[in-house]
Every structure is written in structure tokens, then in C-alpha cells.
Amino acid sequence: ASAIFNASMIRAVLVEDNALLRDGLLRLFSEFDDVEVSGAAADYDEAVALIEAASPDVVITDIRMPPTDTDEGLRLATKLAEERPEIGVVVLSHHVEPDYAQRLLADGTAGRAYLLKDRVGDATEVHRAVVAVAERGSLIDSAVVDALVESRRGDGSVLDSLTFRESEVLAAMAQGRSNRAIAEHLDVSERAVEKHCSSIFIKLGLSEENDLNRRVSAVLVFLGAETS
């Protein structure tokens, strides 16, 4: 199949202990002209060794894998943030777990994506996540964002000062959408999105930073990874 995005070849490593899902993901990625999977691992130690050998652009990893089947994928992401920050990470999860998304992005949103395994059957969505983190962007599954929004309602945080539309714009921003993509998603003008973003930044006390830093900081406030 033709590549969905214009991008140079992305070298990826897959980390998944379920053999059937691992084979399915490998077949999925073989359809992309701009993604080359260098290898696959089934547990944490194997993943660390493979990443060291392959030096990929992106790691696609399950959250739970041997040896403890708890949070190995998140620990791998943290290790890479500290030792190989240039490597993007797409974390796959069976469940909507906002706490895991917060942990994944605690060190920053650049090059990080959190995707539900339900999306694996959607080649476009998976490909979008891989390309996003390869380009140092971010993507959070919309179902996880919805859960985060619900969990933060009425908690007395600065987010309560946002209007409903501003909350929608911030949630879309957390999914890694550009202003144009947010406008299309919400069926409003791009100019309207720009105005909402400016209002969001002011209300969150981010008016003095440059635009990229403001977007990242706003998302971190939204996720609860920072305080206002």
C-alpha cells in the first residue's frame, strides 16, 4: 500500500509478548512504505537488547509484558527518555488507563503516543501514531482523553475556568492535533481555534511562552503532569 503520510523511512522496533498480536502488527506495518520494522521482542530484557542493537526511530510497545506483566512498557519509555530521548515511543494498552497516560507523558509529550489496542485494526490510526512520534509529536487515544476530561471535571483545578469549547480544544490538542486538524474535528474555523487557544494559554498562565512550549505545557496541565 502507498504511504499515508509523506515521510522518510521510519525504523521501528515492536515489543509485544502475545505472538498472535505481534504477528498481526508485523503484517500491518509491512503495508506501510515508510515504516520498516527492524525486529520484534517479547519481554523487557529482550526489548532493551534489541533497541540497543537496532537503534530505531520508534518503539511500539505493550504496557504489560514479562517478566512481571505490570508496567514494563512504561518503564521502557522512561528508560528511553533518560538514555535515548531521540527515540519515539508508541505505547499500546488494552484498557483506558489515564494514570498510565500521565506516567508516559510525565517527562514531556514530544515523541510519545498512547493508543488503545482496539485501534490496532485501524491502519491509518496506528500509522498516524508512529509518524507523529517519529516527528517528535504526540498522540493520545481519544478514549483516554475523554476519560481524563471526565476525571478532571469539578476537581477544583484551573481547568474549571475553561469554557466547554475551550475544554474540547484542549482535549484535541492533547491528541496531538494541529490547529487546522482541531478546526476540522470540531467543525469550526481555524481562526476560531486560534482564539480559543489564546484564551486557554492565558487562563493557564502560559501567555509568556512561545507557542510550542505553551501547547506542550497546556497538555501537561490537562494531563495533571504539572500544576498551574
Side-chain angles (χ1 to χ4, degrees):
S2 297
I4 302 172
F5 296 88
N6 293 322
S8 58
M9 183 63 72
I10 298 169
R11 293 170 294 111
V13 159
L14 176 62
V15 186
E16 171 59 60
D17 64 308
N18 183 299
L20 288 177
L21 183 55
R22 185 170 64 246
D23 290 345
L25 284 166
L26 288 172
R27 286 195 297 272
L28 178 67
F29 286 116
S30 70
E31 298 178 3
F32 303 138
D33 294 340
D34 57 350
V35 179
E36 178 183 46
V37 178
S38 303
D43 61 45
Y44 181 87
D45 290 338
E46 189 177 338
V48 171
L50 178 59
I51 292 167
E52 178 65 26
S55 193
D57 302 306
V58 175
V59 173
I60 304 105
T61 179
D62 191 5
I63 282 184
R64 297 185 175 97
M65 72 186 89
T68 69
D69 291 309
T70 55
D71 63 350
E72 279 81 3
L74 294 175
R75 290 196 287 112
L76 181 62
T78 298
K79 178 180 176 67
L80 291 175
E82 295 173 350
E83 300 176 4
R84 300 290 302 276
E86 75 278 7
I87 297 178
V89 180
V90 177
V91 169
L92 302 176
S93 175
H94 271 303
H95 307 290
V96 177
E97 302 186 63
D99 289 346
Y100 282 172
Q102 291 175 9
R103 283 181 58 188
L104 175 66
L105 303 176
D107 294 322
T109 61
R112 294 294 180 265
Y114 186 100
L115 202 62
L116 294 182
K117 286 188 176 180
D118 288 348
R119 312 291 188 197
V120 167
D122 185 342
T124 302
E125 190 72 8
V126 175
H127 185 265
R128 188 164 78 98
V130 171
V131 172
V133 302
E135 296 178 347
R136 306 307 296 160
S138 64
L139 188 149
I140 308 172
D141 197 290
S142 58
V144 177
V145 171
D146 289 344
L148 284 163
V149 170
E150 189 61 32
S151 70
R152 299 299 297 276
R153 291 192 192 280
D155 65 358
S157 74
V158 67
L159 298 180
D160 288 340
S161 67
L162 303 183
T163 66
F164 180 77
R165 179 63 83 184
E166 288 167 353
S167 295
E168 287 186 317
V169 169
L170 182 53
M173 196 186 299
Q175 293 171 27
R177 298 177 190 264
S178 65
N179 283 0
R180 177 176 296 180
I182 293 172
E184 293 174 355
H185 176 63
L186 298 179
D187 194 23
V188 297
S189 70
E190 190 169 351
R191 178 58 181 159
V193 172
E194 291 173 357
K195 289 182 178 179
H196 288 310
C197 287
S198 294
S199 179
I200 289 167
F201 296 148
I202 290 171
K203 289 181 179 180
L204 298 184
L206 304 173
S207 57
E208 300 303 319
E209 300 181 64
N210 66 50
D211 189 61
L212 177 60
N213 287 342
R214 287 192 299 180
R215 293 181 80 88
V216 171
S217 297
V219 169
L220 291 176
V221 171
F222 171 76
L223 292 172
E226 286 187 348
T227 56
S228 59

